[in-house]
Amino acid sequence: MNVLAHSNRAILNPDKNPLLHWFLKKTFYAQFCAGENAAEVRRTIDGLKRIGFTGVILGYAREIVLSETQTRNLSACDAGPVAEECMRNEISPWAAGTLETVRLARPGDFVALKFSGAGRQALYALKNRLPPPKQLRAAIDEICKLAAERDVPLLFDAEQTAIQAGIDDWTLEYQRRYNTTPGHAIIYGTYQAYLKITPTTLGAHLAAAAKEGFTLGVKLVRGAYLGADPRHIIHDTKADTDAAYNGIAASLICRQWGSVLKAPEKEKDLSFPRVSILLGSHNLESVRRARAIRDSPASDRGTELAIAQLQGMADEVSCELVHAAGQKRKLEAEGFAGDVPKAYKYIVWGTTGECMKYLLRRAQENKDAVARTRSGRDAMWNEVKRRARSSFGLAA
């Protein structure tokens, strides 16, 4: 999979090799991706919503993951024929695909945006923490304007550490511009709990939102760039990552500073700002913790909260959320005033070739699939038993 994701040879490009395309489309692609065109994407989305999901997080798969050598040798590509080539072959296709993604999204959906897909100009500017170049800025502005008009929130995805600080800069700029409705974000930043620096980074962004009066959109994930990020910047153990994730999630849901997510040192008395939250997690314990906190008196019920898993992964977690939402909707009809979980699936679309780097990360994340098989099997068996009891009118 790694060779297919990074090779420049036509025979290893599924968009140019029909046999390879057929094999991947029927196997890995079908498991994790929404489709290669609008009709396929809509069928996938409709199927998920029929199951009971609130909506989807839809992303255009085009992206670039840099090697260390490529990171060192990046150039601005902002003058002469090379700039025209970047616009024609990199920025324009990315912008067109992302705009189409916003159009494909429906009310209640999110759209994920990955800046690296815009090519060399974007990567150079992000690596060096520069503002977006003129033509790229025009493309981003058009995307954000359409998303705001359609009220489709944009999730600015986290990427490898080499460019993440630049992404954070751009994210805050657009949050200041578009997140002006109290408690409702159009632009979200993504925060990876496996990075040791994340509580500090998020604390600084929350402080900026509090002082400047905008709503901070927060997508919280554990992290997906283990193969690209330097090991020393990542938590030493999984337990440390879990503690960071759960602590940050608790503070966000309650809108309170805590032992993990703290106010910046010089601003200890700063009030917690308005936030909109999307929790991306395959960890059943984390999801259950978040739901319990949401249902507790400490929660700020006015805060937008959605919970998501990747398409093709952690279906036992997703099914529990969908079932809980269905049960609470029934109670809501009888006057129940509690919170109904909002369950989402994250899916990407694009040609099979464009999806290869995304599929590679899914393969890396699934290396421990054998170890998870027992818990997944047990969860599915419990679900079968619960449905059987329900069908006979017995307590679930």
Side-chain angles (χ1 to χ4, degrees), residues 120-282:
R120 286 168 287 175
Q121 282 195 14
L123 292 167
Y124 180 84
L126 290 168
K127 179 194 170 189
N128 293 284
R129 301 189 71 171
L130 301 172
K134 181 179 179 181
Q135 292 175 315
L136 178 58
R137 179 180 288 281
I140 298 172
D141 288 345
E142 185 179 6
I143 292 164
C144 291
K145 182 173 181 291
L146 179 63
E149 289 171 354
R150 293 175 56 82
D151 195 23
V152 173
L154 290 175
L155 310 175
F156 288 4
D157 272 352
E159 304 197 45
Q160 61 195 112
T161 304
I163 59 173
Q164 186 57 47
I167 292 174
D168 289 342
D169 293 342
W170 294 7
T171 301
L172 281 177
E173 175 187 341
Y174 282 93
Q175 292 211 37
R176 290 183 176 102
R177 190 186 308 180
Y178 285 96
N179 292 0
T180 54
T181 301
H184 179 57
I186 291 295
I187 308 297
Y188 284 64
T190 301
Y191 300 86
Q192 302 185 96
Y194 77 166
L195 297 176
K196 296 175 182 177
I197 195 66
T198 291
T200 302
T201 301
L202 179 53
H205 294 179
L206 288 164
K211 289 185 289 187
E212 298 174 40
F214 63 91
T215 296
L216 196 75
V218 179
K219 174 188 165 190
L220 181 65
V221 299
R222 275 175 167 76
Y225 289 87
L226 283 167
D229 285 338
R231 182 63 186 88
H232 70 276
I233 67 172
I234 298 171
H235 282 298
D236 298 332
T237 67
K238 180 181 180 299
D240 290 341
T241 296
D242 290 343
Y245 186 96
N246 293 333
I248 292 170
S251 283
L252 292 170
I253 294 169
C254 298
R255 287 185 59 218
Q256 295 177 0
W257 303 110
S259 60
V260 176
L261 184 58
K262 304 174 183 178
E265 191 63 34
K266 296 181 180 179
E267 297 167 305
K268 292 289 188 182
D269 297 327
L270 196 64
S271 297
F272 207 97
R274 288 283 181 186
V275 291
S276 295
I277 311 164
L278 192 146
L279 299 179
S281 179
H282 295 170

Side-chain angles (χ1 to χ4, degrees), residues 36-111:
E36 293 189 287
N37 55 56
E40 292 180 358
V41 172
R42 289 194 179 101
R43 279 199 299 272
T44 301
I45 294 174
D46 289 344
L48 288 168
K49 291 186 177 180
R50 280 196 298 271
I51 292 171
F53 286 96
T54 306
V56 300
I57 302 167
L58 185 61
Y60 180 44
R62 184 185 180 95
E63 66 174 288
I64 295 171
V65 176
L66 300 175
S67 68
E68 289 186 17
T69 301
Q70 289 171 323
T71 300
R72 286 194 301 269
N73 295 333
L74 268 177
S75 60
C77 303
D78 59 355
V82 70
E84 296 175 8
E85 179 198 349
C86 282
M87 186 63 194
R88 182 175 61 253
N89 296 333
E90 298 174 7
I91 296 174
S92 290
W94 171 80
T98 306
L99 286 165
E100 179 63 14
T101 308
V102 176
R103 296 186 189 102
L104 285 169
R106 297 175 180 177
D109 293 335
F110 293 83
V111 164

Side-chain angles (χ1 to χ4, degrees), residues 304-325:
E304 294 178 323
L305 173 65
I307 304 175
Q309 292 79 42
L310 296 171
Q311 170 75 341
M313 296 177 68
D315 287 340
E316 71 279 8
V317 180
S318 301
C319 286
E320 181 169 299
L321 281 169
V322 169
H323 173 67

